[in-house]
Amino acid sequence: MKSQIGRSVLRKDAPDKVHGRVRYTDDLRLPGMLYAALLTSTVAHANITQIDIEAALELQGVQGVFTGKDFPLLVGLYLGDKPALARNKVRYYGEPVAAVVADDERTALEAVRLISVHYEELPLIRSPREALQQDAPLIHPDMADYVHIPAILPEPGSNVGHRTRVRKGDAAAAFAQADVTIEGQYEFPPGDHVAMEPRVAIAEIRSDGQVIIRSSTQSPYGVRAIMSRCLKIPTGKITVIAGPVGGGFGGKAGIQLEPLAYLLSRSLGGQPVRLANTREQDMVTSPGAPGLQSRVRLAARSDGAITAAEIEFLFDSGGYADYAVNVARAAGYACTGPYNIPNVSSDSLSVYTNHPFATAYRGFGHIEMSYCIERSIDLLAEKLQMDPVELRARNVIRAGHATPTNDVLDDNTGDLETCLRRAAAAIEWHKGSRRQINEHTVRAKGVSCYWKAPAIPTFTDAAATVSFNEDASVNVVTGAVEIGQGIFTGIAQLAAERLGIDTEQVHVVDEVITDRSPHDWTTAASRTLFMVGRAVLSAIDDAVAQIKRTAAAPLRCPEEDLEVRGGRVYIRDVPAHGLALEQVVLGYTYPNGNAIGGPIIGRGKYIARHLSGIDPKTGEGRPGLEWTLGAEGVEVEVDLRDGRYRVLRSACSMDVGTVINPQLARGQVVGAMAMGIGYTTREAFMFDSRERVLNQRLRDFKILRYGEHPEYIVDFVETPQRDGPYNARGLGEQGIVGMPGALASAFSRAVGVQLLRLPITPEYLWRQTHSAGGRSAG
Amino acid sequence: MKRYQGLCEIGLTINGRARRVTLRPADTLLRTLRDTLGLVGTKMGCENGDCGACTVLLDGLPVKSCITLTLDAEGREVTTIEGLRDSVIQQAFVEAYGFQCGFCTPGVILNAYALLNHDNNPSAETMRSWMESNLCRCTGYEPIENAIKLAASKLR
Ligand code: FES
Ligand code: FES
């Protein structure tokens, strides 16, 4: 049997996906299902003075109309700050204010238009810096009363939802002795995930009180836990069902539409209620990607060694905290990027504003952090007149170095310098980083390094069970959700490898049902293949031990002498002497009819190793399980006359430990780079003077289109992650992390101005080119 | 010109089969397919004509079913993803890993299928002008491009 590791096995979900036979949550039609629709706020910050619902209630087919008054409770992932429907006050444009439930969706939408709301507008907070001013209005005056987990540190009486402090070495002293220092201030507005499937949840309550939630969620167990905590339902009385998800990118982690769907169902006797976002609601009513304002100072010796960093990240969490508080925390503990900087002083804050609220977004704090750090390193390279690749190589983090939280990296650490050299080579950095093509066209290159560790609780877990069919094929059940990454194929490869069988012989159950599937933290943070993979391997090992126990008697030998491979259990030194697994996995039957053993069920589990909380004053601790390191390089072509451009090449070199499935791995990296191009060049909300979103449709919120994609060059380095499954580490998000830095570097080089904002649109480029200090066209 | 009012019953040809549906004149083809006929392989991504997830074929040419009235499909051949079985283009998407989450995939495949029927050796420019109407958030488009080229090479 050939090894299953390192093979591009075809995706298990391919036949259904290409035939339109996958059933996403929105494809389900339950008997008696009612349809909900939301009325959302038309203003960004206001007191609600009156809501008239009578006309809506009178419409035929309407079963109920609900407002914040009906549901006096707060829900929140880490910090309980959010009502299911706005109560007394709205905090962002698009916030749900009322919900209608009707016999069909059309009626529900029609009824929504019959509700009228009166607002009394309040002063607005337009940015994190404004929110931190002395006299800024408080978006959450009741913050002191909010329930929160211990790792999150809200600052009542201010607009700060959380602050992560990192103090390592003596940054002030290092700055005092520095040969050179630079400072950069960066900023970008919030945006959105734009998963192609809008979020949807269907809730019902059975007669015995069992709450059934079907949801397009990355986090079925998280939904269960948070619903239990915030809605006071025992966990055992909640079942969350998560089938395949039409794209997540962080936007379907945590808690989304589920609590409101449940409350609506509860108000209507437990009948199934479907709450589905329109695209517009998916973009602004549900959470998106955080915006940022930041300041980075670096100190260095004249030889390029960076000696200190002073960093301030102000994440724009919008009206509610959601995941943004943890995003700020992740950016805080990863604050220097993958560089060995001995002295660090960093404050990373999650700050409330009157923008749509923010949640996890692919890269989780690292993409935002990376942009600011990579730009700063380019500023430093310019000041030192050093090659940006060499300056980075001079400072890359390696095994034995301490992270900003003073966690010393072990030998499992990837080889960043090799990644950097290979990414630079892929875009032919050595042939020059800027070239004039003709009078008005320039080609320019940029590079970046990145790192990312999963931002997970210290007790993050995974589990798996393995059972067998009569034909000895294997059923694997885990709590992992398929969100596009191809996890079931990866899992099948690991299981098949361990048993020495073909991946075809492994069936992975593709729906998570929280009271049937074993517990799993969340499908997020690029940790699924690592952790669920470990659990699956341990479940297989457990099953193998049981197979040997059953087979030892009929094979008349000690269990230790047995080997299980290729669909057989046999005596290691007499391989011909053995049994087919078909004869063993459901119990062995002797020729006279006597039977022993019984069905084999393997159990496996994994829990993160040696993670700790971080010290609130210094950040000391071990928050990152495994760091995936890598580098990216891009080449762009800019027309200096009007700022139009194309991204020509995009290269990524990543140290992934082991490549389990080359095509799936490449797919993750290419997809992440594409998302990174969109993030850098166009994806951002635009606001009017009253902080209302102007582009909440895909017509004017642009994402990358077919034909705009560059040539992708993907390369993997394999420094083993020895505690990973077959030495593999996570790779799902990392490809996005370095893109803003690399692209901004290339565009800056093209126009001869250091660009410090996102998105880098043609108009922004044009303005920079034609402002003082820019290279003039031609 | 025919006038429609209130509820009406019309005949449609979907994936080669005759279907009768009762609808309101304002119903879109997307709603009829998904909600009335249970053909949920056609996806709703925006209901605004912007994303292409709802793409189906009308007489072999791609349309966005979310902005097409069902009435306009009367007397024409409607093809949805359920109407393609093990076609060359579908097999190519399997082999070229032309999808991840799969949500855009029915629309992408139908559009590509129509493209290749129209031109089995499309230039990059032709591919772009057809395919740029379908957004995909997962793949970065390279695998989609590869799948179409693979299918084209098999069809030639
Ligand atoms: S759903 Fe029709 S174009 Fe998006
Ligand atoms: S495969 Fe997910 S949107 Fe295209």
Side-chain angles (χ1 to χ4, degrees), chain A residues 196 279 698-699, chain B residues 30 43-55 63-67 133 135:
Chain A
M196 290 317 299
R279 171 56 61 188
L698 294 175
R699 189 156 307 173
Chain B
L30 174 68
K43 297 297 177 220
M44 192 293 278
C46 68
E47 238 177 341
N48 204 22
D50 296 331
C51 76
C54 64
T55 302
V63 297
K64 287 168 175 164
S65 64
C66 72
I67 48 170
S133 61
L135 297 179

Side-chain angles (χ1 to χ4, degrees), chain A residues 24 195-198 216 244-249 252 482-484, chain B residues 101-103 138:
Chain A
Y24 302 89
M196 290 317 299
E197 172 203 42
S216 57
V245 169
F249 314 112
K252 290 167 183 163
E482 167 57 40
I483 58 175
Chain B
C101 80
F103 202 81
C138 300

Side-chain angles (χ1 to χ4, degrees), chain A residues 212-235:
Chain A
I212 316 284
I213 307 282
R214 293 176 176 80
S215 178
S216 57
T217 178
Q218 298 174 236
S219 188
Y221 298 89
V223 167
R224 186 175 72 170
I226 296 156
M227 296 227 356
S228 171
R229 188 173 74 220
C230 300
L231 301 167
K232 312 267 179 284
I233 314 166
T235 5

Side-chain angles (χ1 to χ4, degrees), chain A residues 10-246:
Chain A
L10 291 182
R11 288 179 66 119
K12 292 223 158 242
D13 51 1
D16 273 350
K17 282 189 171 166
V18 302
H19 285 95
R21 294 293 290 271
V22 175
R23 291 294 169 257
Y24 302 89
T25 303
D26 194 40
D27 297 332
L28 305 176
R29 302 283 182 274
L30 304 185
M33 189 163 85
L34 300 172
Y35 294 77
L38 298 177
L39 176 74
T40 62
S41 73
T42 51
V43 291
H45 199 198
N47 290 320
I48 302 171
T49 53
Q50 197 187 331
I51 308 183
D52 301 323
I53 60 170
E54 277 67 34
L57 269 172
E58 274 163 29
L59 189 73
Q60 205 177 23
V62 169
Q63 301 298 334
V65 180
F66 305 91
T67 65
K69 276 206 217 68
D70 297 302
F71 308 126
L73 48 89
L74 293 172
V75 181
L77 177 65
Y78 298 119
L79 178 63
D81 61 358
K82 191 173 184 305
L85 291 169
R87 261 189 299 151
N88 308 323
K89 181 170 171 175
V90 293
R91 296 180 170 89
Y92 68 96
Y93 168 81
E95 181 164 359
V97 172
V100 174
V101 182
D103 295 341
D104 57 61
E105 199 173 359
R106 188 169 56 81
T107 308
L109 289 167
E110 199 177 322
V112 159
R113 286 193 287 272
L114 301 174
I115 302 172
S116 66
V117 185
H118 302 267
Y119 298 104
E120 173 192 86
E121 290 199 49
L122 296 167
L124 290 161
I125 295 188
R126 298 160 206 272
S127 73
R129 287 207 193 283
E130 258 186 55
L132 294 179
Q133 276 163 18
Q134 278 302 325
D135 52 348
L138 292 184
I139 294 182
H140 288 271
D142 300 331
M143 198 194 290
D145 305 332
Y146 293 164
V147 183
H148 61 88
I149 65 160
I152 296 305
L153 308 168
E155 298 178 1
S158 77
N159 287 308
V160 177
H162 173 73
R163 180 192 301 261
T164 291
R165 273 193 193 82
V166 169
R167 303 287 183 268
K168 175 187 168 193
D170 187 344
F175 269 95
Q177 289 160 17
D179 295 336
V180 282
T181 63
I182 59 96
E183 174 172 333
Q185 298 209 24
Y186 312 100
E187 89 175 68
F188 45 89
D192 192 61
H193 310 81
V194 193
M196 290 317 299
E197 172 203 42
R199 298 164 178 93
V200 55
I202 306 168
E204 64 178 307
I205 308 165
R206 302 237 163 109
S207 306
D208 63 357
Q210 191 72 25
V211 178
I212 316 284
I213 307 282
R214 293 176 176 80
S215 178
S216 57
T217 178
Q218 298 174 236
S219 188
Y221 298 89
V223 167
R224 186 175 72 170
I226 296 156
M227 296 227 356
S228 171
R229 188 173 74 220
C230 300
L231 301 167
K232 312 267 179 284
I233 314 166
T235 5
K237 297 299 279 180
I238 307 172
T239 303
V240 181
I241 304 175
V245 169

Side-chain angles (χ1 to χ4, degrees), chain A residues 561-761:
Chain A
D561 290 4
L562 292 175
E563 183 78 32
V564 176
R565 278 205 83 66
R568 291 177 70 240
V569 50
Y570 54 86
I571 298 177
R572 197 171 293 115
D573 46 310
V574 197
H577 199 79
L579 294 167
L581 285 190
E582 284 93 324
Q583 293 172 274
V584 182
V585 289
L586 297 178
Y588 177 78
T589 307
Y590 286 94
N592 75 349
N594 293 169
I596 57 165
I600 282 162
I601 297 179
R603 302 164 307 166
K605 54 190 179 351
Y606 177 80
I607 194 156
R609 189 175 81 184
H610 296 172
L611 291 187
S612 73
I614 57 178
D615 186 285
K617 293 204 182 67
T618 65
E620 256 194 23
R622 182 162 194 259
L625 187 67
E626 62 359 318
W627 291 92
T628 303
L629 299 165
E632 298 186 304
V634 298
E635 183 177 20
V636 301
E637 183 177 287
V638 181
D639 186 330
L640 298 173
R641 289 171 302 183
D642 55 13
R644 279 189 304 173
Y645 55 76
R646 284 191 303 148
V647 181
L648 303 175
R649 286 193 274 189
S650 177
C652 177
S653 179
M654 193 189 300
D655 195 332
V656 298
T658 296
V659 180
I660 304 289
N661 183 317
Q663 284 288 353
L664 286 184
R666 181 184 168 89
Q668 284 299 299
V669 175
V670 165
M673 284 198 278
M675 209 165 171
I677 294 171
Y679 184 92
T680 310
T681 61
R682 63 201 78 182
E683 292 174 25
F685 285 138
M686 294 184 294
F687 297 95
D688 70 2
S689 60
R690 289 158 65 203
E691 299 308 290
R692 295 177 298 190
V693 177
L694 291 167
N695 55 339
Q696 61 178 113
R697 295 178 310 169
L698 294 175
R699 189 156 307 173
D700 27 36
F701 187 104
K702 304 283 190 194
I703 66 169
L704 202 70
R705 276 183 190 278
Y706 184 98
E708 293 176 318
H709 57 291
E711 176 196 352
Y712 300 105
I713 306 158
V714 179
D715 163 57
F716 294 115
V717 176
E718 297 183 298
T719 306
Q721 178 76 33
R722 278 164 309 194
D723 56 338
Y726 293 102
N727 301 326
R729 61 174 78 85
L731 59 80
E733 296 166 274
Q734 282 77 4
I736 199 173
V737 174
M739 290 303 287
L743 285 163
S745 179
F747 286 124
S748 297
R749 200 158 281 123
V751 300
V753 181
Q754 294 291 1
L755 306 168
L756 308 178
R757 290 166 177 248
L758 297 176
I760 301 173
T761 58

